[in-house]
Amino acid sequence: MKRVGTKGQRAALVGALLAVVLGGTGCGDDECVTAFDCQEKNPVTEGQGWTCVDHVCRAVDLTPPDGGADAGSDGGTGSDAGTDGGTLPDGGTDPCASVPRDAKLGTLQLQAGFTAEESAELSPEVLAVVSTPGPTYSLFGLRVTAATRDLVALGTWPDVKPGASAIDTILAPADRANAANTFPSHFLAYDGTRLLTGYTKMEVNYPGVVSVVDPAAREEASYFDAKTSVSAVGTADAFFINGGPVDRVSNTLGVYALVTSARPYVAVKAVTFPSQGVGTSGLSAYSTNSIAVFGYAKTGAQAGDFVNVAHAVGNAKLTQAVADRTPVVLADEPAVDVGSDFNAAAAFGNGVAMARGANSAGVFDVTDVSRFSLTPGLAGNQPVSVGAREPVLTAADACTSVDLLSSLGSDLLVGVTDSNGRRLVRIRQGQ
């Protein structure tokens, strides 16, 4: 199963963020370094995208030869449900058309110890999903169209569908006149009352913003400078934002707590990354038993090579770091032995789920979704224990893609796309 980087905004955004971290937009005397550079310079038309090959921008046809609309996407721009590159071989014949598939999981293979429960259709315009605590689960989504970047109510699980009107835009007032100039992040966090997400602006040095919106009190929305934010999680008293400085607290990458227990909200650096070998910020999750997983993209041996890594941090240590204004040193915390690169993470009960795979020429091939258990230390600030990898879903072929991970109580929500459309599937452990 594949997530095609030239089709999704996530790959373009991360490419841009890496260029900023490494000292500029990266174009130099070449036409481009990433697809994001090409999108900045060239118009995007229906069915077309841009990729950067040998520092030259090249148009990519995203429409199958028969001209038909396809079944969902990463970022709302259209996907061929997992086939490579968006064009079908053999004059338009879909090699997946005759492949047997499950109504929920498509061709993904569910592993022992897990069950697939309910599923619900999900619009390809929804980039991220977050749920309220149970037992009745209300879902919110980040919906992106050509002209809007909105937070929407998605109803109560499993009756999922966008509301007739948006809760609010995620854009700060100064950015609303030119929504096309913004690239929404692929995360949505909830602290029990408020929603938080972010976006990057296509301007010099790619400035960013995180938006905090209370669904019940829209007039109280708040906006903070937050460059290169890649992910975030919510707790009862704070959001933890994995990225660049929030509200100009610092000038380095890390994890920043936005304390929401009282107004005005206060930003505090909670976690530091290593001083060398970090390409950009990474993915985050927060388990049911209050253990955080934070990651960053580690630079590889070759220029332009990056691999995501992650470490687990107990809640007591995070709380103390925020209170004392003394950040946790992430490299000193237990590593999650993922065993490969990964491009998504979410809480899965008392553990974390990750979409593992490898990135090649802008295409991230997801090989499996796996779970790692997380156990608190015996007392206080003792390190947590990270369990061995447990495969949850594995890829049998490229006919079904995973494009989203989120949580529903102690269960996992997986965004699945194939020729039958896009849907959320609830995965439960131990039944």
Side-chain angles (χ1 to χ4, degrees):
M1 50 184 165
K2 297 185 177 181
R3 296 189 62 191
V4 183
T6 53
K7 292 182 182 180
Q9 290 176 334
R10 181 194 292 272
L13 174 59
V14 171
L17 299 184
L18 288 172
V20 172
V21 170
L22 297 177
T25 60
C27 292
D29 295 329
D30 299 311
E31 184 177 7
C32 62
V33 171
T34 71
F36 192 85
D37 302 326
C38 301
Q39 294 168 15
E40 179 182 6
K41 299 177 181 179
N42 300 283
V44 177
T45 60
E46 183 69 24
Q48 185 188 74
W50 291 95
T51 187
C52 180
V53 179
D54 295 331
H55 302 288
V56 176
C57 292
R58 296 183 182 178
V60 179
D61 184 9
L62 303 184
T63 306
D66 60 7
D70 49 23
S73 74
D74 177 17
T77 55
S79 166
D80 55 10
T83 55
D84 192 8
T87 55
L88 302 177
D90 303 325
T93 301
D94 185 353
C96 297
S98 60
V99 177
R101 70 199 70 203
D102 179 77
K104 296 176 185 176
L105 295 176
T107 60
L108 302 178
Q109 297 179 344
L110 187 68
Q111 301 302 294
F114 302 92
T115 59
E117 304 295 328
E118 316 91 0
S119 65
E121 182 179 351
L122 183 67
S123 167
E125 295 178 343
V126 177
L127 300 193
V129 170
V130 71
S131 169
T132 62
T136 299
Y137 301 103
S138 296
L139 271 65
F140 299 99
L142 170 59
R143 183 176 63 190
V144 175
T145 68
T148 63
R149 285 90 171 94
D150 293 333
L151 296 174
V152 293
L154 294 176
T156 302
W157 180 264
D159 299 319
V160 175
K161 62 180 179 179
S165 60
I167 296 171
D168 205 349
T169 178
I170 70 169
L171 301 180
D175 299 324
R176 294 174 186 174
N178 191 9
N181 195 52
T182 63
F183 286 83
S185 302
H186 286 234
F187 68 81
L188 184 59
Y190 184 66
D191 71 351
T193 302
R194 293 158 287 265
L195 298 165
L196 178 139
T197 188
Y199 60 94
T200 297
K201 294 187 280 188
M202 198 189 310
E203 299 174 3
V204 175
N205 293 326
Y206 300 106
V209 174
V210 290
S211 310
V212 182
V213 176
D214 184 341
R218 294 169 54 183
E219 68 279 1
E220 297 184 8
S222 302
Y223 309 93
F224 301 87
D225 292 334
K227 188 175 181 180
T228 69
S229 297
V230 172
S231 62
V233 295
T235 69
D237 296 317
F239 290 106
F240 289 89
I241 304 162
N242 192 331
V246 175
D247 205 24
R248 304 177 183 178
V249 166
S250 173
N251 61 357
T252 58
L253 295 173
V255 178
Y256 291 81
L258 186 63
V259 181
T260 57
S261 55
R263 282 186 175 270
Y265 303 152
V266 176
V268 178
K269 190 169 188 180
V271 176
T272 61
F273 294 160
S275 58
Q276 296 181 341
V278 177
T280 188
S281 47
L283 299 168
S284 306
Y286 193 79
S287 68
T288 303
N289 57 344
S290 302
I291 296 174
V293 171
F294 297 126
Y296 58 87
K298 185 178 181 180
T299 54
Q302 302 294 324
D305 289 347
F306 301 93
V307 176
N308 283 289
V309 298
H311 296 255
V313 184
N315 182 67
K317 188 168 288 189
L318 274 180
T319 300
Q320 182 176 337
V322 173
D324 295 346
R325 303 304 198 258
T326 304
V328 174
V329 178
L330 191 62
D332 293 344
E333 301 304 310
V336 181
D337 186 10
V338 183
S340 74
D341 198 1
F342 59 98
N343 74 340
F348 190 176
N350 293 340
V352 59
M354 294 178 171
R356 303 189 326 134
N359 188 21
S360 176
V363 178
F364 194 93
D365 298 320
V366 177
T367 58
D368 60 86
V369 175
S370 291
R371 181 183 183 274
F372 302 83
S373 65
L374 301 170
T375 305
L378 295 178
N381 288 339
Q382 292 297 310
V384 304
S385 298
V386 181
R389 183 173 73 90
E390 304 172 81
V392 179
L393 294 168
T394 58
D397 50 40
C399 296
T400 303
S401 65
V402 169
D403 58 25
L404 184 153
L405 294 182
S406 189
S407 304
L408 192 77
S410 60
D411 299 333
L412 181 69
L413 287 180
V414 181
V416 176
T417 297
D418 61 14
S419 59
N420 291 329
R422 189 180 187 222
R423 54 205 177 271
L424 285 174
V425 182
R426 182 180 189 175
I427 305 296
R428 181 167 290 167
Q429 182 188 24
Q431 295 187 18

